[in-house]
């Protein structure tokens, strides 16, 4: 895909869309598409409509047969939801998640209130990561390059660790904790063990997770000698 030549400077973009700028007071509907087009021109990437898989206001069917619209959709790249400045981006993300299945599960969900652009990854088998770019950072080449990758290289956002890696690391951590508890034995800081503790009656300290669960539910006093 060829990139468009840059037609708006970072300084012009920030001045136009920042507080006090001529476009800052536009509401969500008025500002969504002009802001996105200006951003495309700043980054030198194609604008929506340049292909059938890259459009404004992709109609989606969501739960209960209700219909919604993703502000921008690029197949196999991203779905994008624009809000007015100061609006809740967590709500915008939940809105996109409701559309995600109907949009073929794009790997990247992007939400923006024009003051910040937040990228959420959703690659299958990987934990989600978040990348944020603030309006005032758009004059930084590295931040422009990060945003440009949404169009040119969405795969580069794939987290290096898989969900399985994280699960295995957690299991190893619990195993290490269990070994430490087992080696500590029945006494702690010279105090005799309290046989009334359910943790003690269960036998040896063979698993850290039940111990942690009990102590969290019953409080530290119940497991003072665990």
């Amino acid at each position: 895909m060829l990139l468009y030549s840059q037609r708006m400077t970072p300084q012009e973009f920030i001045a136009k869309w920042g507080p006090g700028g001529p476009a800052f007071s536009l509401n969500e509907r008025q500002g969504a598409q002009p802001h996105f087009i200006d951003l495309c021109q700043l980054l030198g990437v194609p604008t929506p409509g340049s292909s059938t898989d890259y459009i404004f206001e992709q109609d989606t069917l969501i739960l209960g047969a209700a219909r919604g619209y993703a502000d921008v959709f690029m197949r196999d790249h991203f779905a994008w939801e624009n809000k007015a400045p100061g609006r809740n981006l967590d709500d915008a993300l939940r809105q996109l998640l409701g559309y995600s299945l109907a949009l073929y599960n794009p790997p990247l969900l992007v939400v923006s209130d024009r003051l910040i652009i937040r990228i959420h990854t959703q690659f299958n088998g990987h934990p989600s990561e978040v990348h944020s770019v603030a309006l005032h950072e758009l004059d930084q080449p590295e931040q422009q390059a990060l945003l440009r990758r949404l169009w040119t290289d969405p795969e580069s956002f794939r987290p290096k660790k898989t969900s399985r890696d994280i699960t295995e690391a957690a299991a190893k951590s619990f195993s290490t904790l269990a070994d430490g508890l087992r080696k500590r034995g029945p006494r702690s800081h010279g105090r005799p063990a309290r046989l009334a503790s359910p943790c003690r009656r269960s036998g040896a300290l063979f698993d850290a997770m039940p111990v942690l669960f009990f102590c969290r539910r019953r409080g530290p006093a119940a497991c003072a000698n665990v």
Side-chain angles (χ1 to χ4, degrees):
M1 181 181 292
L2 296 176
L3 301 182
Y4 287 177
S5 60
Q6 182 168 309
R7 289 172 285 178
M8 175 172 274
T9 68
Q11 292 73 25
E12 289 171 339
F13 185 92
I14 294 169
K16 178 177 179 178
W17 293 100
F24 179 76
S25 61
L26 295 179
N27 63 31
E28 179 181 326
R29 185 73 177 174
Q30 293 169 333
Q33 293 189 13
H35 176 269
F36 193 86
I37 291 171
D38 282 356
L39 182 64
C40 291
Q41 293 177 347
L42 166 63
L43 298 175
V45 298
T47 53
S50 54
S51 80
T52 57
D53 290 330
Y54 177 33
I55 59 176
F56 280 125
E57 295 192 339
Q58 172 62 51
D59 187 14
T60 64
L61 187 66
I62 57 178
L63 294 179
R67 289 197 174 275
Y69 293 86
D71 286 333
V72 189
F73 170 67
M74 190 174 191
R75 188 188 291 267
D76 298 326
H77 288 66
F78 59 79
W80 190 302
E81 184 67 25
N82 275 310
K83 296 295 182 185
R87 294 289 298 274
N88 191 319
L89 293 184
D90 291 333
D91 288 343
L93 178 61
R94 281 189 286 270
Q95 188 174 339
L96 272 185
L97 286 169
Y99 304 156
S100 184
L101 186 60
L103 295 174
Y104 316 104
N105 286 319
L108 302 169
L109 300 179
V110 187
V111 292
S112 173
D113 67 352
R114 310 203 297 253
L115 298 178
I116 190 166
I117 299 170
R118 209 166 73 188
I119 304 164
H120 295 260
T121 67
Q122 59 163 8
F123 291 89
N124 289 335
H126 293 265
S128 180
E129 292 183 350
V130 181
H131 306 267
S132 297
V133 178
L135 175 66
H136 69 270
E137 296 175 323
L138 286 174
D139 60 352
Q140 301 174 15
E142 61 273 18
Q143 296 294 61
Q144 293 178 29
L146 184 147
L147 291 176
R148 197 174 288 115
R149 283 160 45 204
L150 288 165
W151 286 262
T152 63
D153 191 12
E155 183 65 24
S156 67
F157 286 95
R158 183 184 294 272
K160 298 189 182 304
K161 288 187 176 182
T162 66
S163 299
R164 181 175 180 177
D165 291 335
I166 293 174
T167 300
E168 289 178 349
K172 183 176 180 180
S173 177
F174 279 124
S175 177
T176 301
L177 177 58
D179 287 342
L181 291 172
R182 194 179 296 115
K183 290 175 182 178
R184 196 176 74 178
R187 293 178 178 272
S188 178
H189 305 295
R191 298 194 300 271
R194 299 176 185 173
L195 295 179
S197 169
C199 292
R200 187 69 60 226
R201 288 201 305 269
S202 67
L205 293 172
F206 59 90
D207 189 343
M209 291 184 70
V211 173
L212 293 173
F213 178 76
F214 170 79
C215 294
R216 184 175 180 181
R217 291 290 300 273
R218 298 298 181 87
C223 288
N225 294 298
V226 172

